Amino acid sequence: MKKTLSANLMATDRFNRRELLRRTTGLTALGALALPLSNPGAESQTPGPAVKIGHIRQSVAQWCFEATDEKWTVEKTCQVAKELGLKSVELVATEHYPTLKKYGLICALCQINMNPDPPFVRGFNNEDNWPQLFQATREAIDAAGEYGYPNVIAFTGFSAKNPSDPNSPQISREEGIKNCVAGLRQIMGQAERKKVNLCLEMLSTHDTTHPMKGHPGYQGNSLEFCLEIIKQVNSPRLKLLFDVYHVQIMDGDIIRHLRECRNYLGHVHVAGVPGRGNLDDNQEVNFPPIMRALIEMGYHGYVGHEFIPTGDPYAALRAAVTLCDV
């Protein structure tokens, strides 16, 4: 596991980690330089809204489409989202919130800036991370409150005390839960005042082929672990980020688990399994019944498309949105 963790974090030949951070935290200037599209769906044979029913409020994660060969800017993603009938473009830096507002969109899940690492690496389970993490989370909560956005993402972090060092000591399960509870309790008062949820994400640890398809070393790799933290913190503003992709890999039994977590759901992510690709017939998850289960449960949050598209990204997103519009 230590060797795999080191390889996952350091494998720049597969994926440039710093470029990922520039994308997920919005430090790239591509959005500012890109010209607006007059018709983002011009190449599609079926332009116009993909959302026809609208029972599920859908969102799209910006980083996935900026990571394609087309390198969508925030501006382009907003234009496509608006055309398809989405309500949100998520996981963008606060500097892009005015662009979202221009298109009548929100950021359903707000990112935290943990440069120079991806935000999931150094989390609440390690007290050494708290100074930077508290500042990043507080800034994200303030910005979300100012714009009226519902959620800010949160992570347990990796179990290695120094995730870049495969030989560093490991944080035990008990210590990780204790530290997460203590750290989150110091933040929740602000989240409650601003009426913003913190959404703690469970991540899978099996896939070692790509640093955004699997996260070997991440401590919160089960629903049980994350729910224990949420229950102990006992704040109405601490929720679960239920990522169908990660849960399917680690725990499976998606619909039953969704129902068991219904009182804690803050946000839902979707992507094809395995590979975090398109929501098509080359992957194993049947998404329409999952969407219907969310509706039956009375889930009123957002479902975010956080898949890495293969082929035409516009066509892949349109198909995914249509599939989830039940």
Side-chain angles (χ1 to χ4, degrees), residues 191-211:
E192 291 166 6
R193 290 191 300 273
K194 299 288 185 176
K195 299 182 180 180
V196 172
N197 299 321
L198 286 186
C199 293
L200 183 65
E201 184 166 22
M202 174 201 149
L203 298 176
S204 61
T205 52
H206 288 340
D207 193 322
T208 63
T209 65
H210 185 294

Side-chain angles (χ1 to χ4, degrees), residues 176-321:
I177 291 176
K178 181 190 72 172
N179 288 344
C180 283
V181 171
L184 284 162
R185 281 178 174 168
Q186 296 188 48
I187 296 289
M188 296 317 302
Q190 180 184 358
E192 291 166 6
R193 290 191 300 273
K194 299 288 185 176
K195 299 182 180 180
V196 172
N197 299 321
L198 286 186
C199 293
L200 183 65
E201 184 166 22
M202 174 201 149
L203 298 176
S204 61
T205 52
H206 288 340
D207 193 322
T208 63
T209 65
H210 185 294
M212 292 304 289
K213 294 181 179 180
H215 307 283
Y218 186 78
Q219 190 160 46
N221 67 346
S222 72
L223 288 173
E224 179 186 13
F225 188 93
C226 293
L227 287 173
E228 180 63 27
I229 293 166
I230 292 169
K231 291 174 181 178
Q232 286 194 34
V233 173
N234 192 28
S235 167
R237 288 293 175 179
L238 182 59
K239 303 291 186 180
L240 176 69
L241 200 175
F242 191 109
D243 190 313
V244 172
Y245 168 78
H246 292 299
V247 175
Q248 171 68 5
I249 291 171
M250 302 304 297
D251 291 335
D253 207 359
I254 297 296
I255 292 177
R256 184 175 67 85
H257 279 126
L258 276 171
R259 289 174 176 154
E260 290 177 347
C261 298
R262 64 190 304 164
N263 294 328
Y264 305 102
L265 290 179
H267 194 73
V268 174
H269 275 160
V270 292
V273 181
R276 198 169 194 161
N278 298 357
L279 278 59
D280 58 21
D281 58 4
N282 293 315
Q283 57 84 47
E284 66 194 42
V285 180
N286 190 6
F287 287 98
I290 294 172
M291 298 300 112
R292 287 193 288 270
L294 287 171
I295 294 169
E296 292 166 5
M297 290 161 42
Y299 174 70
H300 298 298
Y302 288 81
V303 171
H305 293 280
E306 198 187 22
F307 64 91
I308 302 172
T310 54
D312 177 3
Y314 178 87
L317 182 57
R318 171 175 280 278
V321 171

